[in-house]
Structure formats: structure tokens, C-alpha cells
Amino acid sequence: MSEFWRESALVMGKDLRIEMRSRVAMQQIAAFGTIVLLLFAFALDPSRGLLPRVAPGLFWVTVLLSALLAISRAFTVETENGALDGLRLAGIDAAAVFLGKAAAIAVQLLALEVVLAFGVFLLYDVSVVGLIALIPAAVAATAGIAAAGTVYGALAGGLRQRETLIPLLLLPVLAPVMIGGTRAFETALDGTTSQAWPWVQLLAVFAVLYVTMGVLTFGSLLEDS
Amino acid sequence: MRKVPWFGGAVVAALGVTAVMALVVAPPDVNQGDAQRLLYLHVPSAWVAYLAFGVTAIASILYLLPRTRSITWDLLAGASAEVGVLFTGLCLAVGSIWAKPIWGAWWAWDARLTTTAILFFLYLGYLTLRRAGGSPDQRAKRSAIAALVAFVDVPVVHFSVNWFTTLHQQGTVFNNKMHVEIHGSMATTLLISVAAFTLLYAYLVVRRMSLLELEEGLEEREIAQAIAERLAQEGVDAHAGIQMETV
């Protein structure tokens, strides 16, 4: 079993090392997310005080859009130079590949969320309260996005139309994360932290469900593409 | 797949009876008037949509199990999902047209409506994935997994949307759920309509499956023909080469 976790960590380390050297997520995707935050402010007339009220929803929409880019990127990396064949030939357990890739995406998304949260704090005039609920909600939502994203990324990853397919496949699936994340953040920022917990639980259930799906199906998905 | 000439006729007849029942025999609703007749389109469409996605999920499982693996299950899953998306769209469209005069809006953020809209896009994505290329085996496996992942998502979506609409905003138009006590010729009409739509579903799936089979056959024939032409061409070239040498 320890071998399994070591393999997962290897795959995760590989993806994070690629990111450390290319800095696509931290430079391009974070910049993209911040621009989206600015665009929302233009669309919603910042002077009327609407932004603080809708900030949780806007934050999660921005995270989802950025996540699409990060997930596409995670599988573009594998299509170049026959990298996926290398991964298969390395004899690593498919479930370990899944966990490793999902964990790498989750780590990048969490870093991205810190940047975006700072942006929301600065630009939308949101005062941060209820961190005790905000952080678990963000972690659970991110785990769900990363797990579902890795399953669908692998489904569409080997296909030529993946750039357009991944958003179409993934966004409806992530609707519960969008709803749960937004409501958890709203209630936490309102100061009614106790009402945030059911939503955090929903996010956790979603994450567990998709991690299980990924562990079960990734073997056939890797074989296939 | 064998042709069933009476099947199409039976479907047309059933739909004809439904139309007569819904438009002539069933009385207009006391509160809603003639608008309520849309029920006879709306409810059967929703039923067929759920039936179709259920069939897709079962067929996908049967494809994934090694013992029952057959490309027919994949074709059934694909055909059923196509019909399902069609009827989900129909259900949403008819619902909207019905909602406008009764609720005063085309759309309400009710749990069921929202879930159905997400369901529509979930399976639209599935259909797009099916068309994304690859060998039939690759496509079958990929789409079977996608169908199952989507199917598992449906209850989560339903649950979260339900929560979202009840905790977040109480519907202003939707508060008093119209519990239409349905009986008499209205109930009979609805029953006939559901039966007719189920028949239509079966017919469309059967036709779509045979079309998919033909498409696959066509592809194989085209490949075989291309290979044959290429071989013939090579034969000519080789022959010409020999002639050149002898000259």
C-alpha cells in the first residue's frame, strides 16, 4: 500500500515540477482569473454596492473557469511527446496516476483560490469572516473539482476536440460544487457559520463520490485513450 | 436489424388517438383552461426522458461488464441518450410555453426545472463525446464510462438544486403547488399519452440503432474499398515496374 501512495506522490510531484518550471497556472491562469474578476465588476456596476453581496458566486464562477484551463493543461502535458504511453509503460497503478494528477490539480487550484480570494477581498470590498467554514468549504470544493476534472480530463484528454469538450462535459457536472461553494461562502460571510456546514458536507460528498469514480474507472480510461 | 413495418403505423395511430383525446375528449381545466392541455405533452416527455437515460445507464453497465460486452449495448446507449436529450428539450420547451400564461414567466428557479436543465446539458455533453472520434471500441468504452459518471451525478445535482431552491429563495409563483386532482377522462388521456410516447420512444430507438449500425457498416465498407483500390493501384505500379525492367 505504501508503494501505492509513493506512486501517487511521484505523479503529483511530476505535474507540480512541470508547473514550477513552466509557471503556466501561476502566471497565465491566475492572471486570467483576476481579469475575470475585473470584468464582473464592469458588468455589475461596482458603485451600487452589489459586488459584496454576489462576491461568493462570482468567486466560484471564476474558480470554475480557471479550473477548466488548469484541467485542460494537466492533460495537454500528457499528450505531448507520448508522455501518456510513458506513464502507462512505467507500470504505475492507474488509481495512483489518478490520485496523483488530481492532487496536483487540487494544489494548483488552492494556490489559485488564494490569489482570487485576495482579489475578491481587494476589489469587491468583502470583509473576511467565518474562516473556520470558508477554508473547509474551499478545500472540499477544490477536491471535488479536481477529482471530477481528472475523470473528465482523461475521458476527453486523448481527443482532438478536448479544448471544447472538457468545458461542455465538466460544467454541468460541477453544478453542485458551484451551488454548494457559493452557499457555504455566503452563509460563512454572513456570520451564520452554522448554516454553512450542510453545504460543506454536500461538497465533501461530491468529492468522495468523484474520487471513488476516478479510482474505479481510471484503469480503463488510461487504456482507452 | 429487421424492419418492422407495423411498428411505425402503430406509433402514428397511438399518437393520433392521443391528439384526439387531448384536444377534443378531455375537458379544459377549470382554472387553467386550454393551456392545461400541454400536460399531455409535458408529462409524457419527462417520463420518456427519464426512461431513456435509465436505459442508457443500464446499457452502459451491460457494455462494461466483460460477460455481456457487445457493441449492440453501446448502440442502444447512444440511441437512447439521443432520444432522451430530444425529449428533455421538448419537456423544457413545452414547460416554458405552459409556464408563460400560468405563472407569468417563461422560467422559474424551481428545483425540478433547474435539475432538468442541467440534465439536458449533462447528456448533451455525453452525445458530443460520442461523436468525438476514435475506434468503435474506444468510443463505446469511453462513452459507457461517461454515461455512468453522468448518471451518478444526477441525484447529487437534484439534491443540491432542491436544497438551493428551498433554502435560498422561496418561489414567488411556485409557492402554492398546484395539486391538480386528476381523474376521469383527463387521467385516461394522460395514461394514453404516456403509452403513446413510450411507443414512440421505442420506435425512435429501434430506428436510430439500425441507422447507427448502417453507419458503422458504411465506414467499414469504405475502408475495405479504399484498401482494395490501394492494392489494385500497387498491383498496376508493380506491373508497370516489371515492364520497365524488361524494356
Side-chain angles (χ1 to χ4, degrees), chain A residues 111-138:
Chain A
L112 207 65
E113 281 165 31
V114 171
V115 173
L116 292 177
F118 196 63
V120 167
F121 172 72
L122 274 182
L123 297 169
Y124 292 0
D125 190 25
V126 175
S127 45
V128 180
V129 288
L131 270 177
I132 190 163
L134 287 179
I135 290 171

Side-chain angles (χ1 to χ4, degrees), chain A residues 24-139:
Chain A
V24 167
M26 265 2 257
Q27 284 179 359
Q28 296 172 21
I29 302 178
F32 165 81
T34 317
I35 294 166
V36 173
L37 289 182
L38 283 177
L39 292 181
F40 276 137
F42 300 154
L44 293 173
D45 190 358
S47 59
R48 265 191 287 160
L50 198 59
L51 284 175
R53 270 195 293 138
V54 292
L58 299 184
F59 173 77
W60 283 110
V61 170
T62 313
V63 169
L64 283 194
L65 294 179
S66 313
L68 292 178
L69 296 182
I71 290 158
S72 286
R73 163 82 187 153
F75 285 89
T76 306
V77 166
E78 299 297 348
T79 53
E80 282 164 10
N81 305 325
L84 201 58
D85 292 328
L87 209 54
R88 270 186 292 229
L89 287 173
I92 297 176
D93 193 333
V97 175
F98 166 76
L99 285 181
K101 286 203 82 72
I105 292 173
V107 168
Q108 293 175 43
L109 283 181
L110 281 174
L112 207 65
E113 281 165 31
V114 171
V115 173
L116 292 177
F118 196 63
V120 167
F121 172 72
L122 274 182
L123 297 169
Y124 292 0
D125 190 25
V126 175
S127 45
V128 180
V129 288
L131 270 177
I132 190 163
L134 287 179
I135 290 171
V139 169

Side-chain angles (χ1 to χ4, degrees), chain B residues 105-229:
Chain B
W106 296 106
W107 187 263
W109 290 100
D110 163 69
R112 228 186 261 191
L113 269 72
T114 315
T115 309
T116 312
I118 293 173
L119 200 65
F120 179 77
F121 286 105
L122 213 53
Y123 280 93
L124 201 64
Y126 167 78
L127 290 183
T128 317
L129 184 67
R130 287 189 69 88
R131 293 207 190 86
S135 76
D137 284 334
Q138 279 179 339
R139 184 206 60 208
K141 200 170 185 189
R142 196 169 55 217
S143 40
I145 293 170
L148 284 185
V149 178
F151 195 70
V152 167
D153 200 49
V154 172
V156 188
V157 168
H158 181 75
F159 188 69
S160 61
V161 167
N162 225 341
W163 243 11
F164 159 68
T165 43
T166 45
L167 275 185
H168 180 235
Q169 49 177 33
Q170 293 294 334
T172 38
V173 227
F174 231 97
N175 260 343
N176 41 345
K177 281 249 160 124
M178 317 152 298
H179 256 292
V180 189
E181 287 284 324
I182 190 163
H183 47 75
S185 59
M186 279 178 158
T188 320
T189 307
L190 186 58
L191 216 64
I192 290 174
S193 178
V194 166
F197 269 59
T198 310
L199 220 56
L200 175 63
Y201 161 76
Y203 179 71
L204 288 175
V205 168
V206 168
R207 292 307 298 265
R208 195 68 190 101
M209 273 180 81
S210 51
L211 196 59
L212 286 172
E213 265 178 354
L214 287 174
E215 272 174 14
E216 224 126 86
L218 186 67
E219 224 161 82
E220 274 165 30
R221 267 179 68 167
E222 274 172 355
I223 292 169
Q225 198 182 351
I227 291 172
E229 273 171 15

Side-chain angles (χ1 to χ4, degrees), chain A residues 8-28:
Chain A
S8 302
L10 269 177
V11 174
M12 180 179 95
K14 164 191 85 76
D15 276 16
L16 289 179
R17 212 169 309 124
I18 293 173
E19 166 56 24
M20 286 300 283
R21 289 178 188 167
S22 65
R23 299 197 192 266
V24 167
M26 265 2 257
Q27 284 179 359
Q28 296 172 21

